[in-house]
């Protein structure tokens, strides 16, 4: 099959949006940004053998390559709209492509996106996705707005993806729910939109809570205290490892793609009423350090309890 036949067969299945004037098939796509909206743009590359195992299921590769980008849009509170895809393939393996597209388009359809263009080339397997979403003018949720006294929240549970990855690397059996966290993370798009006008700062957790929270602290020129007892851990992780190990995975493991955000303490009740899938894990302080506590005392576990940055 030629490049054009492959595109026709696999990539024209995208939903069509009314704000796309011209989609796949010309030199460029033409799109229309709604009035009073700004465009949030993000891009990520996944390379075989670096970001995923060489024998990874094509469905999961397709799903995750888009999920990680949608997670970045969620972290800014943006509503996803369009996506472009650059796919480098060692060969035109139609079985692989079909499965890749099944994973990729599952999220495209769920979030009402349109694939508006891309590139298909031959070479070592690598996937680059660019996602674009809308934000009301001037309202983006950035890393820079955290204020002293803010509470710190995270969505979902933490550490499951890192635990699954550790098990795969060490060839230890691991249950399906932990694997799902690693291979098919849930982009927190709805949550991002819900907190857009309420939160002060946000980030998505791709490199581990501690590392990503530090980006907020640096950009906002503040510090934080985290209570490790409050870290949201799944039952599966609780059951599989020691408490210290679970805290370490939740703090330093990557690939969770949950949101971490700060908001005024006065909003705690509002969040509760909104029944958001979030947990309060600590608060923003004026000391420019990230301090870990356990029940009010400095935490002396496996992870450093006191980190300057
Ligand atoms: Mg990010």
């Amino acid at each position: 099959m030629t490049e054009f036949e492959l595109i026709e067969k696999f990539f024209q299945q995208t939903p069509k949006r009314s704000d796309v004037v011209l989609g796949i098939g010309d030199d460029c796509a033409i799109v229309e940004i709604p009035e009073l909206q700004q465009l949030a743009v993000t891009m990520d590359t996944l390379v075989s053998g670096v970001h995923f195992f060489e024998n990874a299921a094509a469905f999961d590769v397709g799903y995750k390559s888009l999920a990680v980008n949608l997670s970045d849009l969620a972290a800014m509170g943006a509503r996803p709209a369009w996506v472009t895809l650059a796919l480098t393939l060692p060969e035109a393996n139609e079985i692989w492509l079909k499965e890749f597209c099944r994973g990729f388009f599952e999220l495209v359809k769920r979030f009402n996106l349109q694939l508006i263009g891309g590139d298909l080339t031959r070479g070592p397997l690598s996937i680059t996705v660019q996602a674009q979403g809308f934000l009301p003018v001037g309202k983006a949720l950035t890393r820079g707005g955290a204020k002293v006294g803010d509470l710190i929240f995270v969505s979902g549970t933490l550490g499951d993806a890192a635990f699954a990855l550790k098990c795969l690397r060490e060839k230890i059996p691991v249950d399906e729910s932990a694997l799902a966290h690693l291979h098919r993370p849930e982009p927190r798009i709805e949550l991002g939109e819900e907190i857009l006008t309420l939160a002060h700062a946000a980030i998505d957790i791709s490199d581990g809570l501690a590392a990503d929270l530090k980006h907020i602290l640096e950009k906002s020129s503040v510090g934080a205290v985290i209570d490790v007892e409050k870290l949201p851990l799944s039952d599966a992780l609780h059951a599989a490892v020691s408490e210290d190990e679970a805290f370490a995975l939740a703090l330093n493991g990557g690939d969770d793609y949950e949101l971490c955000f700060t908001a005024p303490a006065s909003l705690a009740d509002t969040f509760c009423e909104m029944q958001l899938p979030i947990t309060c894990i600590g608060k923003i302080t004026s000391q420019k350090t990230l301090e870990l506590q356990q029940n009010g005392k400095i935490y002396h576990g496996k992870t450093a309890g006191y980190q300057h940055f």
Side-chain angles (χ1 to χ4, degrees), residues 149-181:
D150 276 2
L151 297 179
I152 302 167
F153 298 87
V154 292
S155 62
T157 60
L158 300 179
D160 301 285
F163 174 62
L165 184 61
K166 182 172 177 278
C167 292
L168 289 177
R169 284 202 174 125
E170 295 171 7
K171 301 196 166 29
I172 300 167
V174 56
D175 73 51
E176 194 50 46
S177 72
L179 281 176
H181 277 276

Side-chain angles (χ1 to χ4, degrees), residues 42 44 68 71-73 75 143 203-206 212 257:
T42 181
D44 263 302
V68 298
S71 179
D72 279 327
L73 290 183
R143 301 173 180 187
I203 192 167
D204 68 318
I205 305 175
S206 52
D212 287 313
Y257 297 101

Side-chain angles (χ1 to χ4, degrees), residues 71-78 135-136 139-142 151-155 188-204 216 258-264 267-268 270-272 274-279:
S71 179
D72 279 327
L73 290 183
M76 309 289 288
L135 277 163
K139 291 282 189 286
L141 201 46
T142 68
L151 297 179
I152 302 167
F153 298 87
V154 292
S155 62
R188 295 290 187 178
I189 294 294
E190 275 182 21
L191 178 62
E193 288 192 60
E194 281 174 311
I195 63 170
L196 175 60
T197 56
L198 302 172
H200 281 158
I203 192 167
D204 68 318
I216 288 184
E258 295 293 350
L259 295 189
C260 172
F261 64 94
T262 83
L267 285 176
T270 309
F271 289 147
C272 218
M274 290 167 77
Q275 299 192 317
L276 302 180
I278 59 172
T279 308

